[in-house]
Amino acid sequence: FTVCTQVMSTLKLVNELLSALKRDDHEDEAIENEEEEMKVTGTEVTGKVDYEKLCVQFGCDLLTNDMIQKMQRLTGKRVHPMIRRKLYYAHRDFDKILECHEKGKPWYLYTGRGPSSDSMHLGHMIPFIINKHLQDYFNVPIVIQITDDEKFFWKDSITSLEMSKQMARENIKDIIAMGFDITKTFIFIDTEYIGYLYPNVCRVQEKVTYNQLRSIFGFDADGTSCGKIAYPAIQAVPAFSSTFPVPFGARSERMMCLIPCAIDQDPYFRMTRDVAPKLGEHKCATLYSKFIPGLRGPKGKMSASIGTSAIYLNDTPKEVRKKIMKYAFSGGQDTEELQRKLGANLDVDTSYQYLTFFMDDDERLKQIGEQYAAGKLLSGEVKQILCEVLLPIITQFQKNRQLVTDEIVDAFLAVRPLEF
């Protein structure tokens, strides 16, 4: 009888443990499902992004083949692979920029960088690659905003404006190393150029209510600093050519602006477009990209705050190779046998996704995708191909970066007329 009692007690304990494990499994599944919910704002990207749904949600238009063909017809040159493959996939009024160029009217590019680390990573590189391409492609000027103020307001790890400004100068060296034409490029740090920014900032702030900002950015009245509330107007005004009376000279009152950037920046420029007609300014046009995923998986975007999710532009070749081979999320199967039989899921495979951004050869990319999806290539082989593509790009960037002195940084920061 005693033995039976002990057995029954043991069985009861086992059943309780199994029930607990099942509850944990359901909780983990619920957490995982919760994590998969898409959230894209100007300051946060989480979950697996449905780009077409996001385009509808934001009210953007999809980039069309006709627009890409018109770009090539206007310039006689082939567009960048990221545009051909529609990694830059959505827009607002990009067709009007093409019309503007066709009629010979001046326009300019605007992009920016929020300095949150001493070195940029591959994800930060994407908009500068495209802006550099478009500068050369259309032979137009560009303004590049360095938002030392924004990161001071938002980043807990940045404890002073001096720290933010120091990172800003390091990031500017990274940007210059991308090869921008100094005669057509003006880089400015917000806290240094504020005298030129502030008149238009005031005009925007007078027209935009707190309720509008709360609706667009989700500001909490109790937990949001006044610096965060005031900041959106500072990111808005470089989209108005009147903000640059010296760089643009006599044409500063009549130039359209194109902003190629990641689609999470759309909330800022929706606000900018809404307020522009009230101020007698052109509505800015935008060209939006998809996110390059973090190394560890397809959800969200590459993050500077998670070291193993990013390849930094100052990583050594050994570090780049190690990160790719060890951390790059695989869409392949668990065993070689299964991979040969079932093939890989290209949509979630980080190495293949990176190749879509950085491999120039369309036919080679298509071949790799077909072979990998069919099981003819293994995950390690695709990772090796990615190493062969990325290492020369990063090595060349680092060589360029070594040539950028503080004097060159000051030359790009100088308030001066641009040549265009």
Side-chain angles (χ1 to χ4, degrees):
F1 179 78
T2 303
V3 172
C4 289
T5 302
Q6 289 174 342
V7 170
M8 293 298 292
S9 297
T10 302
L11 286 173
K12 182 180 179 182
L13 180 60
V14 169
N15 285 330
E16 288 175 353
L17 288 170
L18 287 172
S19 296
L21 287 170
K22 286 180 180 178
R23 284 196 302 273
D24 288 344
D25 286 343
H26 289 311
E27 288 172 4
D28 289 344
E29 185 177 348
I31 291 170
E32 185 177 345
N33 288 336
E34 184 179 343
E35 288 175 349
E36 287 179 353
E37 183 180 352
M38 178 179 73
K39 182 179 181 182
V40 178
T41 70
T43 58
E44 183 182 9
V45 178
T46 56
K48 186 175 181 181
V49 181
D50 182 330
Y51 288 102
E52 291 202 6
K53 180 179 178 181
L54 187 61
C55 193
V56 173
Q57 180 181 319
F58 281 178
C60 307
D61 296 311
L62 293 174
L63 185 68
T64 66
N65 291 332
D66 286 344
M67 289 180 183
I68 294 173
Q69 290 167 6
K70 185 171 184 177
M71 290 176 70
Q72 296 180 150
R73 188 171 68 252
L74 288 174
T75 64
K77 295 178 283 189
R78 199 177 191 199
V79 298
H80 196 277
M82 290 186 206
I83 297 175
R84 294 200 303 269
R85 295 167 192 161
K86 293 187 179 175
L87 297 170
Y88 275 81
Y89 81 107
H91 74 99
R92 293 183 187 275
D93 287 347
F94 183 55
D95 51 330
K96 292 184 179 179
I97 288 290
L98 296 180
E99 289 174 11
C100 189
H101 194 79
E102 190 172 28
K103 293 176 181 177
K105 295 181 178 179
W107 59 278
Y108 69 103
L109 293 159
Y110 160 35
T111 190
R113 164 78 185 127
S116 57
S117 59
D118 288 333
S119 174
M120 300 197 309
H121 60 54
L122 282 182
H124 300 142
M125 203 178 193
I126 301 302
F128 292 106
I129 289 173
I130 286 299
N131 276 279
K132 168 68 168 65
H133 168 76
L134 293 174
Q135 180 183 60
D136 295 341
Y137 196 78
F138 289 110
N139 193 29
V140 292
I142 184 170
V143 297
I144 302 175
Q145 180 181 41
I146 309 298
T147 59
D148 58 334
D149 49 349
E150 176 203 17
K151 292 306 176 185
F152 177 61
F153 297 143
W154 260 277
K155 277 281 186 180
D156 292 337
S157 58
I158 296 178
T159 56
S160 68
L161 272 174
E162 291 73 21
M163 182 180 179
S164 186
K165 188 168 291 188
Q166 182 180 353
M167 288 182 177
R169 287 187 69 89
E170 292 303 311
N171 285 187
I172 289 170
K173 291 179 180 179
D174 288 345
I175 293 166
I176 293 170
M178 301 291 295
F180 287 97
D181 180 350
I182 192 170
T183 67
K184 293 181 175 62
T185 304
F186 174 50
I187 302 176
F188 61 97
I189 298 172
D190 280 348
T191 56
E192 295 181 359
Y193 193 65
I194 193 65
Y196 290 96
L197 294 169
Y198 199 58
N200 276 341
V201 167
C202 290
R203 295 170 69 213
V204 171
Q205 289 174 338
E206 193 268 333
K207 296 295 184 185
V208 179
T209 69
Y210 173 72
N211 284 339
Q212 287 175 300
L213 290 176
R214 186 174 59 182
S215 173
I216 296 169
F217 300 103
F219 289 150
D220 176 4
D222 295 328
T224 303
S225 71
C226 61
K228 291 180 180 180
I229 295 168
Y231 173 74
I234 297 173
Q235 185 163 322
V237 298
F240 304 150
S241 59
S242 60
T243 304
F244 304 100
V246 177
F248 294 156
R251 289 176 281 191
S252 65
E253 298 296 330
R254 56 187 177 87
M255 293 173 66
M256 281 197 69
C257 173
L258 172 64
I259 309 167
C261 60
I263 194 165
D264 61 332
Q265 296 302 295
D266 183 68
Y268 284 104
F269 300 119
R270 284 205 306 273
M271 182 201 76
T272 306
R273 285 170 55 84
D274 286 345
V275 78
K278 301 173 186 176
L279 304 178
E281 302 281 355
H282 288 296
K283 283 187 175 185
C284 60
T286 54
L287 185 60
Y288 292 131
S289 74
K290 300 177 181 179
F291 305 117
I292 186 169
L295 276 175
R296 288 180 172 269
K299 296 177 184 177
K301 63 178 182 179
M302 188 178 286
S303 171
S305 61
I306 306 173
T308 55
S309 82
I311 295 172
Y312 286 88
L313 300 182
N314 64 353
D315 282 344
T316 66
K318 183 178 180 180
E319 288 171 332
V320 172
R321 187 178 295 276
K322 179 182 178 181
K323 284 184 175 181
I324 291 171
M325 302 306 292
K326 184 175 181 179
Y327 296 118
F329 185 85
S330 173
Q333 305 302 323
D334 292 337
T335 66
E336 179 177 346
E337 181 182 359
L338 283 174
Q339 173 61 16
R340 298 295 186 196
K341 181 180 179 181
L342 301 175
N345 180 352
L346 303 183
D347 291 338
V348 300
D349 190 273
T350 296
S351 298
Y352 178 76
Q353 290 300 315
Y354 282 21
L355 288 174
T356 65
F357 280 88
F358 291 102
M359 179 174 270
D360 286 333
D361 191 330
D362 291 336
E363 288 302 316
R364 175 69 175 134
L365 179 66
K366 180 182 177 184
Q367 180 186 50
I368 291 168
E370 290 174 349
Q371 291 180 344
Y372 194 25
K376 295 178 181 178
L377 283 174
L378 302 178
S379 178
E381 293 173 312
V382 176
K383 289 182 178 184
Q384 180 58 38
I385 293 170
L386 178 61
C387 289
E388 293 169 0
V389 169
L390 280 185
L391 284 173
I393 295 172
I394 294 174
T395 300
Q396 184 59 55
F397 166 84
Q398 291 173 353
K399 289 179 181 177
N400 294 348
R401 176 68 159 73
Q402 289 175 352
L403 301 175
V404 182
T405 63
D406 286 331
E407 290 74 19
I408 291 175
V409 170
D410 291 338
F412 272 90
L413 288 170
V415 181
R416 68 206 186 280
L418 298 180
E419 299 174 14
F420 62 99

